[in-house]
Amino acid sequence: MRRGMRTLIVLGVTGAVTASVAVTASSTPQHGEGNQEIRNVIYLLGDGMSRSHVAAGRERFYGATGRLNMEKLPNYGAVATYAVEKDSDQPALVTDSASSATAWSSGVKTYNAALGVDAYENRVATLMEQAHRAGFATGNVSTAEITDATPAAQFSHALLRGCQGPVYSDASCLPKKADGTFEDKPADQTLITPIAEQIARNGTADVILGGGLARFEPDDQKALQAQGYQVLGSFGDPALPAQTAATQKVATRDDLADVRSGKVIGLFNRGNLTVENAKAKLPADAPQKQEPTLAEMTRKSLSLLNNRSGKGFLLQVEGAQIDKRSHANDAAQTLDEVKAFDDAVKAAVDFARKDGHTLVVVTADHECAGFNIIEKGSFTNAEAAAPPANTDAGNPANNSTPSRSSSANAKDPARSSGIVNGAGANDPKNFAPATFRTPDDPADVQDGSPEASLWLSYLSGNHTGADVPLYAYGPGGERFAVSQNNTDLYTKMYRSLFGHAPRGH
């Protein structure tokens, strides 16, 4: 391990590696922009965030000529996200969060739902495990349950992402064979050990902040405390195992503020953290108001990790709810989660600017729901009585079969009863766009009105195969300003931490 290395911050990376990858670092310092040594890597991941999510967030909060914090970073690239089919190298063109997270954390393509294993169910080392073993401080932060796919991929290994805990079940932890029966249990029992149990016992991350208290049990708290962790809140009364849910206590923003040093785990909700849009509407005394923002968790993590190790640190930060609210086709909540994630990016970049030796990488694992900005006053195919015309009056050779006339492209009143966050908000069959005012609109324009300039729609309720954006800042950031595969992110982050490429790359 080279001397003088401090901290590595990387957001959203992938690469290829096996469990045998060496963690011995070169003595040659890494240099990047300004010929500066990389000491820190912060990896920020906007789950489900496409270029359209970024553009919509910019226009909503800063106007057409404004920029999000991530857009101000000097290096811009793109990331291909495809997975592979199980037990093969055949591409699966649309990834889930688990296979994508395994790509940037371990450098291998794997099947959807797999965590920390390759397509053939072989365990692979993760970047966070490698960094931890080499003496770096490590942190893992998410607005989802900390056992969910993106955070879990850095510090657990599971054949199925649903094997989160607190208890084991074949349905959650074992893949099925072609005949519908469950596979035999693997020789490596870790691969079917609930993720919460793995996290509580492997010590891979020094700082763990997010949701998911319901996934843990009193024995997990005991295991964490035996390793020197401060456990914020309570995982339940060990004397009352049948009443664990009733005796658990979520951590709070105030609990987090009181932490000054050391290893810590804080779980601020029994499930996912509360989306900012919903939290803002709750009464002042609602318990969800005591959940920290992603930016607050990021700043606290940076403070703790920067003081923890003289060798450096690796921090992963996930804005999980961009994806979850895109699945729900809730544009208002999606936009506010893009803003909350971008605030966390600012926190990371502010640290990096002061430090001078920190690499920040911001990206996404995949696109979610075909999020689109459409023309003001227009409508989507989902609202139409029939698809658009496919004839070309100027050149009949371009016509499609079967032919559809220009009169076909009209709204179906049964499927479009008004703007979804306006007049048609209470109609569950309504497929119309959602509309939002922007800073460029006149002062009297309201969200949900036809006059609002930002019109947003969704293609589906699931992921798509689109490439995702990547932004980078700091020494070595120029390496990411290319079109790359998600597995390349692992290799580049590894090189930034250890000063050389992982074996086999």
Side-chain angles (χ1 to χ4, degrees), residues 177-194:
K177 295 183 285 190
D179 63 4
T181 61
F182 292 111
E183 293 181 358
D184 294 334
K185 292 183 178 180
D188 183 354
Q189 292 293 295
T190 303
L191 305 184
I192 55 172
T193 298

Side-chain angles (χ1 to χ4, degrees), residues 66-195:
R67 287 186 296 169
L68 294 176
N69 292 294
M70 67 184 88
E71 294 180 289
K72 297 176 184 178
L73 304 189
N75 300 292
Y76 176 74
V79 182
T81 65
Y82 69 91
V84 294
E85 300 293 347
K86 194 171 185 300
D87 299 321
S88 79
D89 297 321
Q90 176 67 31
L93 298 183
V94 179
T95 188
D96 81 334
S97 292
S99 56
S100 184
T102 300
W104 78 69
S105 64
S106 293
V108 297
K109 292 287 186 180
T110 192
Y111 59 92
N112 286 334
L115 287 169
V117 297
D118 66 17
Y120 302 91
E121 300 186 353
N122 298 305
R123 180 188 179 117
V124 289
T126 76
L127 183 64
M128 191 167 288
E129 289 172 338
Q130 293 166 327
H132 173 74
R133 292 185 192 125
F136 290 91
T138 50
N140 207 337
V141 176
S142 178
T143 54
E145 295 177 274
I146 204 68
T147 53
D148 205 358
T150 298
Q154 284 285 15
F155 54 10
S156 70
H157 304 266
L159 299 181
L160 291 179
R161 59 181 289 181
C163 192
Q164 296 184 48
V167 297
Y168 171 88
S169 74
D170 286 352
S172 296
C173 302
L174 273 179
K176 287 185 176 180
K177 295 183 285 190
D179 63 4
T181 61
F182 292 111
E183 293 181 358
D184 294 334
K185 292 183 178 180
D188 183 354
Q189 292 293 295
T190 303
L191 305 184
I192 55 172
T193 298
I195 293 166

Side-chain angles (χ1 to χ4, degrees), residues 264-330:
V264 63
I265 180 168
L267 304 178
F268 304 96
N269 195 296
R270 290 181 54 76
N272 301 315
L273 298 193
T274 309
V275 296
E276 294 300 323
N277 184 279
K279 188 162 61 175
K281 299 172 183 176
L282 294 172
D285 59 351
Q288 294 90 340
K289 292 282 192 179
Q290 269 293 310
E291 295 176 15
T293 65
L294 186 61
E296 289 170 337
M297 292 192 291
T298 300
R299 283 191 289 268
K300 176 60 75 170
S301 298
L302 290 170
S303 174
L304 294 172
L305 294 172
N306 193 43
N307 292 328
R308 178 159 181 79
S309 173
K311 183 169 282 188
F313 67 78
L314 167 66
L315 172 63
Q316 177 172 295
V317 178
E318 182 199 22
Q321 307 284 29
I322 299 169
D323 175 72
K324 296 182 187 304
R325 303 324 297 166
S326 293
H327 278 296
N329 284 190
D330 191 318

Side-chain angles (χ1 to χ4, degrees), residues 164-493:
Q164 296 184 48
V167 297
Y168 171 88
S169 74
D170 286 352
S172 296
C173 302
L174 273 179
K176 287 185 176 180
K177 295 183 285 190
D179 63 4
T181 61
F182 292 111
E183 293 181 358
D184 294 334
K185 292 183 178 180
D188 183 354
Q189 292 293 295
T190 303
L191 305 184
I192 55 172
T193 298
I195 293 166
E197 186 175 333
Q198 295 184 52
I199 293 170
R201 288 157 180 81
N202 62 28
T204 299
D206 300 310
V207 176
I208 304 169
L209 303 176
L213 179 60
R215 300 292 184 179
F216 293 82
E217 297 180 309
D219 283 351
D220 297 322
Q221 177 169 337
K222 182 178 179 181
L224 286 158
Q225 289 172 329
Q227 299 170 75
Y229 284 86
Q230 301 173 70
V231 177
L232 308 184
S234 172
F235 289 9
D237 187 341
L240 300 169
Q243 300 178 42
T244 293
T247 59
Q248 286 182 330
K249 180 183 178 183
V250 296
T252 68
R253 175 191 283 116
D254 291 342
D255 293 333
L256 184 61
D258 289 339
V259 178
R260 294 289 179 265
S261 63
K263 298 194 293 186
V264 63
I265 180 168
L267 304 178
F268 304 96
N269 195 296
R270 290 181 54 76
N272 301 315
L273 298 193
T274 309
V275 296
E276 294 300 323
N277 184 279
K279 188 162 61 175
K281 299 172 183 176
L282 294 172
D285 59 351
Q288 294 90 340
K289 292 282 192 179
Q290 269 293 310
E291 295 176 15
T293 65
L294 186 61
E296 289 170 337
M297 292 192 291
T298 300
R299 283 191 289 268
K300 176 60 75 170
S301 298
L302 290 170
S303 174
L304 294 172
L305 294 172
N306 193 43
N307 292 328
R308 178 159 181 79
S309 173
K311 183 169 282 188
F313 67 78
L314 167 66
L315 172 63
Q316 177 172 295
V317 178
E318 182 199 22
Q321 307 284 29
I322 299 169
D323 175 72
K324 296 182 187 304
R325 303 324 297 166
S326 293
H327 278 296
N329 284 190
D330 191 318
Q333 291 184 340
T334 299
L335 289 170
D336 285 351
E337 292 307 303
V338 171
K339 176 65 164 59
F341 175 70
D342 193 57
D343 291 343
V345 172
K346 183 179 186 303
V349 174
D350 285 348
F351 174 92
R353 285 200 175 105
K354 291 178 182 178
D355 176 75
H357 299 283
T358 296
L359 169 66
V360 179
V361 180
V362 185
T363 188
D365 50 355
H366 53 72
E367 196 279 338
C368 187
F371 194 50
N372 282 297
I373 303 167
I374 67 172
E375 184 181 0
K376 179 179 178 180
S378 62
F379 61 93
T380 67
N381 287 353
E383 299 174 83
N390 58 11
T391 57
D392 182 349
N395 185 352
N398 296 336
N399 291 353
S400 303
T401 302
S403 179
R404 299 191 298 266
S405 69
S406 59
S407 62
N409 193 25
K411 281 187 181 181
D412 181 346
R415 305 184 75 190
S416 182
S417 59
I419 296 162
V420 295
N421 60 335
N426 294 321
D427 185 350
K429 300 185 298 296
N430 184 15
F431 286 84
T435 70
F436 298 89
R437 63 162 287 108
T438 74
D440 301 320
D441 291 339
D444 61 343
V445 171
Q446 301 295 315
D447 291 349
S449 69
E451 294 76 27
S453 60
L454 182 59
W455 285 50
L456 299 173
S457 68
Y458 290 94
L459 173 67
S460 75
N462 295 308
H463 300 170
T464 71
D467 287 2
V468 294
L470 183 146
Y471 309 89
Y473 172 85
E478 70 281 356
R479 295 188 193 123
F480 296 87
V482 295
S483 181
Q484 60 219 298
N485 210 305
N486 55 6
T487 50
D488 296 332
L489 299 177
Y490 166 83
T491 305
K492 293 174 183 180
M493 288 193 288

